[in-house]
Amino acid sequence: LRDKWRLGRIWMEVRGQENGAGESVQAWLTRLGQSEWSRRHFWNPLTVAALNGEPAFASSVGLQQVLRTLLLEPASSSRLGMAVVGLSDLYAAAAQKVVEEKEGRVLLNRPAASLRMEGDRLRGVVLADGTALSADAVICAVPPSALLRLLPVPAGSLEALASDLQPFRTSAILSVNLWVDRSPTDSLFTAMIGTRFQWLFNKNGYISLIVSAADGLIERSNEELVRIALDDLESCFPKTARLRPGRTQVVREREATVALTPATEKLRPGCRTAVENLFLAGDWTATGLPATIESAVVSGERAADAALRAQPF
């Protein structure tokens, strides 16, 4: 009851203030009197799931915005959805179709090597095979490290952007997939508290155990990670003690998301740059949201709108 009462302080803070970039989640929760028990069982799992970062290092800005969406916006703003197909099938093919119907082209396996500048004006993009693409406007929807490699050297008018990109780092996600003859639970997904693996997803014929903010585990061997996953599974579902997977698979996403800390939160750029026809998109840009697909969608809409307004199409 005491912990639930203290949640009221979070409610008042989220309701009454704009996001501030100066605090980690841990510092924010400490300032608002959240107990160790409530952090372990509620706040820490929520933080790691929403931000892919540990509370001690993750910026509180994203978590505040998630809570603001959950608490203050209509229920439709925070509905959960479970994709029944792979993400490429879910939206990539449809997006390509829209582009091509508008007489655009989608080039696959054609990485960009650099932005082609003439003075302070961007003329297009040079691909890794040397092909030069001309463009009236360019939207870069790439992570900070990739954007840094694309910028000209010296960066000229983009020097401040190049400097701001330097501190950004990434956070890993780790998955262990187990093909089993029966699932330990009928739930589509389950949160696991007090274990190294945090989430269990029921898939078609196998189960997937996930670790967000997985930098501490990512370099361990496949055999050790499977053993840890099975130990965690048994601690939550004792009846799985004799579970012997027919097949296992370890998936490491070392650069799954950009790690947004209080320091890098302040450096997130908007969609406009110092070059009038160069625009930025990506979940890590200044949307106020965590580095998630929702943030990517917001940033893409803003960048497209800014490009259309800036060009005489």
Side-chain angles (χ1 to χ4, degrees):
L1 288 176
R2 196 178 301 120
D3 284 324
K4 290 182 178 180
W5 178 259
R6 288 174 178 149
L7 288 175
R9 297 185 64 181
I10 298 287
W11 162 258
M12 295 303 294
E13 178 101 350
V14 168
R15 185 181 180 187
Q17 288 189 336
E18 290 297 319
N19 288 341
E23 289 179 299
S24 67
V25 170
Q26 181 171 286
W28 186 63
L29 295 175
T30 298
R31 178 167 62 80
L32 295 178
Q34 303 306 295
S35 72
E36 180 61 33
W37 191 96
S38 68
R39 294 186 206 191
R40 185 168 64 251
H41 292 87
F42 178 71
W43 289 116
N44 292 358
L46 178 60
T47 298
V48 171
L51 310 183
N52 194 31
E54 294 291 345
F57 306 106
S59 167
S60 65
V61 170
L63 182 60
Q64 290 179 51
Q65 186 56 45
V66 168
L67 293 172
R68 193 172 286 116
T69 301
L70 289 171
L71 298 173
L72 301 180
E73 294 186 13
S76 59
S77 296
S78 54
R79 290 179 297 180
L80 288 175
M82 292 287 287
V84 296
V85 296
L87 293 184
S88 294
D89 293 330
L90 185 65
Y91 57 74
Q96 180 172 346
K97 181 180 178 182
V98 169
V99 171
E100 292 173 343
E101 285 177 347
K102 300 296 183 181
E103 300 183 359
R105 289 188 299 158
V106 176
L107 306 180
L108 302 178
N109 300 313
R110 301 287 298 279
S114 63
L115 299 175
R116 187 159 63 90
M117 301 287 298
E118 289 182 11
D120 289 333
R121 183 78 179 175
L122 182 63
R123 296 302 180 186
V125 178
V126 178
L127 303 183
D129 62 6
T131 303
L133 302 179
S134 298
D136 295 321
V138 171
I139 298 174
C140 280
V142 297
S145 58
L147 179 57
L148 195 55
R149 292 193 296 270
L150 292 174
L151 297 182
V153 179
S157 59
L158 296 171
E159 189 63 45
L161 174 61
S163 177
D164 286 347
L165 294 174
Q166 297 282 355
F168 283 91
R169 299 292 181 267
T170 57
S171 185
I173 293 177
L174 174 70
S175 304
V176 171
N177 300 319
L178 306 174
W179 277 259
V180 294
D181 57 2
R182 68 188 188 282
S183 175
T185 174
D186 293 330
S187 299
L188 285 175
F189 64 97
T190 304
M192 301 165 65
I193 305 297
T195 52
R196 286 154 292 187
F197 282 80
Q198 301 141 352
W199 300 94
L200 183 153
F201 288 85
N202 252 332
K203 302 295 184 71
N204 184 21
Y206 68 97
I207 58 176
S208 185
L209 289 93
I210 312 294
V211 186
S212 297
D215 297 291
L217 287 175
I218 200 80
E219 299 303 335
R220 300 201 184 189
S221 69
N222 288 3
E223 293 75 14
E224 187 176 7
L225 291 170
V226 170
R227 180 182 57 77
I228 293 171
L230 289 172
D231 288 346
D232 284 353
L233 200 60
E234 183 180 348
S235 72
C236 294
F237 304 96
K239 291 184 179 179
T240 64
R242 295 185 180 85
L243 190 65
R244 297 292 181 268
R247 178 189 168 200
T248 65
Q249 179 190 52
V250 176
V251 180
R252 295 173 176 85
E253 300 174 77
R254 287 182 168 83
E255 298 183 354
T257 66
V258 173
L260 295 175
T261 65
T264 54
E265 187 72 51
K266 301 173 184 177
L267 301 176
R268 297 174 76 175
C271 61
R272 294 184 178 274
T273 71
V275 175
E276 64 177 357
N277 60 335
L278 173 63
F279 307 90
L280 303 180
D283 57 15
W284 61 279
T285 59
T287 64
L289 292 164
T292 58
I293 193 169
E294 293 86 355
S295 179
V297 170
V298 170
S299 75
E301 290 182 345
R302 290 178 180 176
D305 182 66
L308 288 171
R309 290 175 182 273
Q311 299 301 318
F313 296 125

